[in-house]
Amino acid sequence: MLCDHHMTIQNILHVSLCPHKALVVSLASYCIFCSRACLIGVVKKQCLLYLCGCSESLRNDLSMCLSVCLLLYVFSSSGEDSSGERGSLHTWKGYSCSVTPERVLLSRPVLQAALGTRHGVLLVEGGQVYSFGEFPWKQSQVSEVGPLKPVLESALSGQRVVAVAAGSFHSGAVTEDGGVHMWGENSFGQCGLSSLTVVPNPTPVAVLDPDTSPPHTIRVLELACGEQHSLALSAQHEVWAWGSGCQLGLVTTIFPIWKPQKVEHLAGRHVLQVACGAFHSLALVRCLPPQEARRPLPDKCGQCNQLLYTMTDKEDHVIISDSHYCPLGVELLADGEARLEPGRSPPLRLQSSPSEPLSSHTSASAPVAQNGEVLTTTDSDISAAGTDSDRTVGGVGGAGSQSSPYPDDQAVKEYLKKLSDTSLVEETAKTTIAGAMTTSSALNSLVSSCASAVAERVVSTCEALSLKKRINCYYPGVGGVAGAPGGVPGGFPVGPAEERVRLEESMQGKKSCSTGDIREEEAEGLSRRLSLPGLLSQVSPRLLRRASRPRVQAVPLTPVGGLPEAGELLPSLQTEVWSWGRGEEGQLGHGDNLPRLQPLCIKCLSSKEVVLVAAGAHHSLALTTQSQVFSWGSNSSGQLGHMACPTTIPRLAKLSEGIRVWDVGAGAQHTLLLADGDCYQPILYYSGQQVREAAQDAPQDQTEGYSYTQQPVLLPFCMNLGYVSGVFAGGQSCVALADRNVTGFIASLHELAAAERKFYCKLSSVKNHILRPLLDLGENYCSRYSSAGQRPWVRESLGTALGPASTVLLQSLARCYSRLCHLTGQHSASLTANLRRRREVKSLVMLEHASIFLDTYNEYCCSVGNFLVMGGFQALAKPSLEFFGKCPELLQRLAESSEENIPLSDLLVALFYLPMRHLHEYGRLLLKLGTCFEVNSVDYQKLQDGCSKFEALALHLKRRRKEAEYTYHFWKSFPGKMTVSGLDSLRKPPRRLICESSNKALTLQNSGRFSVNWFILFNDALVHAQFSTHHVFPLATLWVEPIPEENTDLYGLKVISPEETFTLLACSSMEKAKWLRSINQAVDQAMSGAGQSGSGAGQRAEPPISRTACYTFYKDSRLKEATYEGRWLAGKPNGRGTVKWLDGRIYTGTFKNGLEDGFGDYVMPSKTLNLNDHYQGHWKEGKMHGIGTYKYATGELYEGSFQDNMRHGHGMLRSGTLNSSSPSVFIGQWVHDKKTGYGVFDDITRGEKYMGMWQDDQRQGTGIIVTQFGLYYEGAFNNNKMQGTGVLLSEDNTTYEGEFSEDWTLNGKGVLTMANGDYFEGTFTGEWGSGLKVTGSFFKPNLYDSDGDKARAVKLGRLAVRPEEKWRAVFEECWMRLGCEAPGQGENQRAWENIAVALTTSRRQHRDCPEMNLSQSHNRTLESLEFNPQQHVGPVTMEKYDRIRHYLIKACDTPLHPLGRLMETLVAVYRMTYVGVGANRRLLLQAVNEIMSYLARIFQLVRFLFPDLPEEGGVIPEPSSDPQDKKDSNCADTQLESPKPGRVVSSSSLLLPVLLPLLYPPLFTLYALEKEREDDVYWECVLRLNKQPDMALLAFLGVQHKFWPVSVPVLGERTEVVSSTKDACFASATETLQQISTTFTPSDKLQVIQLTFEEITKEVVSSLEDSFLWSMDDLFPVFLYVVLRARIRNLGSEVSLIEDLMDPCVQHGEHGIMFTTLKACYYQIQHEKTT
């Protein structure tokens, strides 16, 4: 909205309806002439003009009134909603009041527009492209189309276009698949198509990567077009260029470039956007990550190899300069002068003062210091741009004379010039210039490297720098600023530009980064050259003393790398603007007019959070997240939006306060801005040349007779367009895309985005004007003098005022505020981008990822509350008062406080709590958006959920603020209430007060008469304070219960803590209920963490009695000073947890009633060995009880049972430093930590193994010893020695049977029998193997005695432990697990319950431990084992028997089942006994008997679990069925070794298939050793006989000829048997018999024998072709042949194993006969003669 002098007024403040239902807009307008406010009211269809009260003459002059008043068009709100249109296009030229936008009518909404010099391109919904304007490249086609009648680019039919671009005379489009199409003028290669000067229609252009083979097609995201070049942004965010000129950024001098080439100088960087001017290019680039940005900087230029830094030591100064000039960055002519564009005037000198007018075509260079060196303009120039603009409104650099249609133009200029000069004087005295000189990291490193040369000078230099920085901060007149009075004396030297300008291409690494320190962000320095005082004597002693004081750590106010949670969800704000190309108008922004061949970063924009760049013909624009517009370049028509100089550096466009720009467009000589006012409908500003209708067709370079703006002006028709979503400019034209408000949705989206932009600007103002100066106070000290001759005063440092704790909290507050501000900026940019593109609910990040916002606000509120609680704002008041003055109007304005005389601390609190209000705004706007949708729609539900989340958080944070304020006032008044020693130590940042009993509302029961008890409830602890002591009860481990009031009149609360239980008495029932509710809520919040991070919703009436918490014991004798963390129940550790003692002991496991109970892990350090004892196993009532593993620090390892912290029950102890090479292993029974009962001791060092009884760690009773040398002893032991009767056998069968007194020492009567049968009988003394003394008789058997008389074989096993006495502890433990105190004594139902509990507990333990996780199939198996397969009581049928058998197979295969555990232990002890030294052939009988004992005792357990199962030898009848089924059943029974009438139940048939495969290796080894001699004889005969062919062997064995096979199958064909045939007859039977070595149980081996007989019968029947019956005389030779051909190596061992373990019920059946036949064959082969 504007007046006729094109000056902006302030914004719309209020919109309302008058009683006549007309829309009323109230405006507070700022009068240009008198600086007074005038009110303008506008009613629908009627304009009411009110004159300001500046002068009587102005009010009486209607024409003058029209020149100062506002013209405003107001449209009907109902008419706005009626059309319901989206993406309507409006176009116009100029900015005068008579301009009326023309609407372009298209069938579909317009998504994007692009304008060239005289044409435009439109992208509509559906991906179609239209063109309008002049098309000289169309040739025979239509060469000109009006803007109101666009034509469809039919060449793009079938392609879905997603982006369009327009250059001066050519156009481009990007398709959905990333392809590029170009058309238009191509004289300079700008269309990327060779051999064509014009491209009439859209034609594909290949963007290929030549570095790949074959060349890979590059996918393009967007295009930008200039006059002679084009740029493409790829999906990899790299830039590709083609066309002509240095604006390509390519390292080449040959033009045009027909094929797109990559701009290598931007390779490796993330480019976000590209823009093209006529002859220059811009790129918006994401800043490098911190680790890359902080790499060591080079000290030499990468192109010319010259030093980047120079240092000059003068008499009293050290001059450090980084003004390196690299000539390779400029196009040079032969004479060395820089090439300028033809037709352009050389740059003239700059203004030497702000009031000096600029000449025509003025170009600005960089400011220059006193000695002529160049000062590069930085952020300080930009930050003051608004001020400079105010001072220099009069100067305009346009060509030709300015013609104004309004009267008294010269008078207005003079008046404004006078006003500007006056304001300058006032500004000099008042304004504080933000940003002081600082050095980059590379500059600091240079100072450090020169320290050895300048020594103390460098120290004083650094201190002087700090002092100068503070002086510049508070006294801007000192050390001046270029362009300000008293800044830099003298004018700028006049000379060639290349002698005055220093390029900075090689200095990219030194640029200020937005991720840097807060002081680096605004203090990039006023000069790139530093002149530093060098003499140490010039520095005051006070300054040197301050140098030794600690400084407050710097806090970055811009989060490094942004918010990690946001990731790629939100736009990046850490951006840089790079430019390259021609720069004669200063459009590159580097402070000079020189061209750049390669992209160069505009340093002063690096920390400005630029989110959008735009390029006009010869000027450039950058839009920031703070809705500011920076402009630079040509200002011939005022298109930069300001009249400040120089125009070669970015400066802020001059806009009224409160105008927030969010989209920009740049044309040839004008700029179009889309902005927010105080209403949420966007408004348009125009800056630049006015286009007259009569002269619209005039050439662009003719500007005479044209008027232009001195600053952006409001377009009066903008409110008629609707809700504008984007603006575009090009040539002389302007385009706006607008939406009509459909059901309020568009208006609500715009309101949401505008509110977020406004909020971000508010946060940024607080950060820049409040937070940053306060933190600067903490970093440096500042001293100044009040006046000459007066006593100097020193400003107190912030660190001293706050103290170390509050200083850290302030830094944390600053970090959290910075994160919140950064997130808001990112969200603002995201919402703005949503308005430009989708305008959809699903693209709102605050809905899909609300947790990012909720967590950030929670964190920030927590930091503010912590700072408030610790009195930080109160302490901050004094330094703030000194800094902001006694009238902090700035603080009041930012805090939105209207109160008078409000304390500064309260003002600061209100200011920093201000962001919490925005959560209500989120909720309101989301709710407003939700009303635009159907209630049952998905979008409505999302918006409602989002609204609920933000409203709930707002209420929660409001409560948090009240808690923080209540806590602060409590601590503030605390000293006056009570003096308790050490209670002030409870004041902690996160701790909040809930209630306290200083009013005697709560007392301790049974307390003394004169005792004082004060109870304070915080959000994390209950404090009991007395006279001089206090105790803290953490809430997480506090339980409170109300005491019933029936019996007493006391209102009591029972409080339970881990170590104390006491009763509190309230003064009334109401007070009791209050404290009960408060404690329960506080406990619940402390447990859930809601006190710090939760929303506080859904609080429970009572906290759970079982909870997880951490507690350190202080009284308990057993757990004193130990810390427990885990589950609790009613004040006691209960469940899984961890205890850590101070001496290093750690227990991790389950607890019950405060004691270790269940499975746990215990580590106990050993001080002497500096190692740990480690126990892992079961506990009971605080002691090791059950199965466990104990690793001793000495290297010993015990695995077995414990009881009362002692080894008790069955267990195995490995002794030695290394378990793999232990010198001894004991496995057996323990009683009270000692070996007692049966056990096996393997002394690996001595090579002996003892198997016998123990008592008190000593061998006592009967036992067996075997050695690695073949000695075997069985007999009595006493006191760990062989004492008493025993039998000793050596390897050669020498035997002694008699008395022993020591180990291997004979002493007493006995008989010594030699291997040949000779023997001594008498008294023996001496040690075996070292000589014996014999007193007695020698006997030699008579040669003619019978073998029976000669044999004196000793029966082994008589003096050994009986099999049923072995491993009793193992079976007892199994019975105990089933709930039986003794074998067979217990309840069957309880046993099954214990099985289910054991399996469930084990599954839960494995589930809690990821490394022990069970598979899904294993879990199903365990679940099936928890139930009894014999569900119904009654006789066991075959079906039930099969179910029992399958259950036992699974149970014995699962170690978690008691039977499986038993089986696993038995296998371990069996292998431990009979492997290694125990593999002695004389132990075979013991091994077999032990297995039979296992079967009997396991069968007893099985019959206990299944009581209906018959006893050993019982019969289960077969079910009745038809004859055929009976026949099949009988066959099956035969195979299962059962008699036909039914199945015989035996331990062997039921359990041996489960047990024997696990014990088979050691058992068969013993059989092989026992039968070694016989098997050797057998094997020798087998080898001899198998040398013969089949027919010879059959004849030798006496097989009848009728049984000889005539032909045998070979490879599927029958082959006749001849005399030389070998290993062919009865081959199938031979292969079947060989399988006997691959089976384990006797039943399986008998089954193999039976199948062998069947194969023999089958082959004989096929040859005889007649039925017959075998006789043993006929069968035996044939079977003998098969046995020989089978070549079974240990057939004798197999036969013995079958004979020993065969089920007795099958010995006399068919299987028994077959086995007898095999056994006969074995003996026959041993005695067979081959002669």
Side-chain angles (χ1 to χ4, degrees), residues 64-356:
M64 194 62 192
C65 169
L66 292 176
S67 68
V68 297
C69 291
L70 178 74
L71 182 60
L72 179 65
Y73 296 94
V74 179
F75 53 86
S76 170
S77 59
S78 61
E80 178 190 8
D81 286 335
S82 61
S83 61
E85 295 178 357
R86 302 278 291 269
S88 60
L89 185 73
H90 304 267
T91 178
W92 74 94
K93 295 183 179 180
Y95 65 93
S96 67
C97 299
S98 60
V99 172
T100 302
E102 296 178 330
R103 181 175 177 183
V104 180
L105 297 177
L106 290 170
S107 59
R108 297 186 179 184
V110 179
L111 302 179
Q112 184 189 0
L115 300 179
T117 302
R118 298 182 182 274
H119 77 290
V121 186
L122 305 178
L123 173 63
V124 301
E125 197 175 70
Q128 296 176 332
V129 177
Y130 289 81
S131 298
F132 65 89
E134 300 179 9
F135 315 134
W137 52 85
K138 292 287 185 182
Q139 299 174 355
S140 62
Q141 304 177 28
V142 179
S143 61
E144 182 175 354
V145 174
L148 302 184
K149 297 180 179 180
V151 295
L152 177 67
E153 293 291 349
S154 57
L156 291 172
S157 299
Q159 301 277 351
R160 184 177 181 86
V161 177
V162 295
V164 294
S168 296
F169 303 103
H170 70 292
S171 307
V174 180
T175 59
E176 193 174 27
D177 58 357
V180 176
H181 291 71
M182 303 293 296
W183 68 99
E185 178 67 35
N186 193 34
S187 303
F188 300 94
Q190 59 264 52
C191 284
L193 299 167
S194 59
S195 71
L196 293 175
T197 57
V198 294
V199 182
N201 296 308
T203 306
V205 176
V207 183
L208 302 175
D209 188 356
D211 297 335
T212 60
S213 181
H216 176 68
T217 301
I218 299 299
R219 185 171 179 268
V220 173
L221 297 179
E222 66 176 54
L223 285 174
C225 301
E227 185 164 323
Q228 298 179 0
H229 74 296
S230 301
L231 299 179
L233 179 62
S234 71
Q236 289 75 32
H237 294 276
E238 297 175 326
V239 180
W240 296 72
W242 61 94
S244 301
C246 60
Q247 61 268 28
L248 296 181
L250 304 176
V251 186
T252 182
T253 57
I254 301 175
F255 301 107
I257 302 297
W258 298 106
K259 295 182 179 181
Q261 296 185 15
K262 186 193 297 186
V263 180
E264 295 292 347
H265 204 69
L266 289 175
R269 294 182 179 269
H270 189 97
V271 181
L272 302 172
Q273 185 209 343
V274 290
C276 291
F279 299 100
H280 73 288
S281 304
L282 300 176
L284 183 64
V285 182
R286 182 183 295 176
C287 291
L288 288 175
Q291 60 270 21
E292 297 184 32
R294 295 174 183 173
R295 287 180 296 185
L297 301 176
D299 56 351
K300 291 185 178 181
C301 176
Q303 299 183 21
C304 62
N305 204 33
Q306 296 180 4
L307 289 175
L308 299 178
Y309 304 94
T310 59
M311 179 172 177
T312 306
D313 188 6
K314 294 188 176 181
E315 295 180 358
D316 57 346
H317 286 78
V318 177
I319 301 176
I320 301 174
S321 175
D322 62 351
S323 56
H324 168 67
Y325 164 61
C326 177
L328 300 182
V330 187
E331 291 184 89
L332 298 179
L333 300 175
D335 55 359
E337 295 182 358
R339 178 187 300 167
L340 298 178
E341 180 68 12
R344 303 281 182 181
S345 302
L348 302 179
R349 70 180 183 90
L350 295 173
Q351 291 176 282
S352 59
S353 68
S355 60
E356 179 180 345

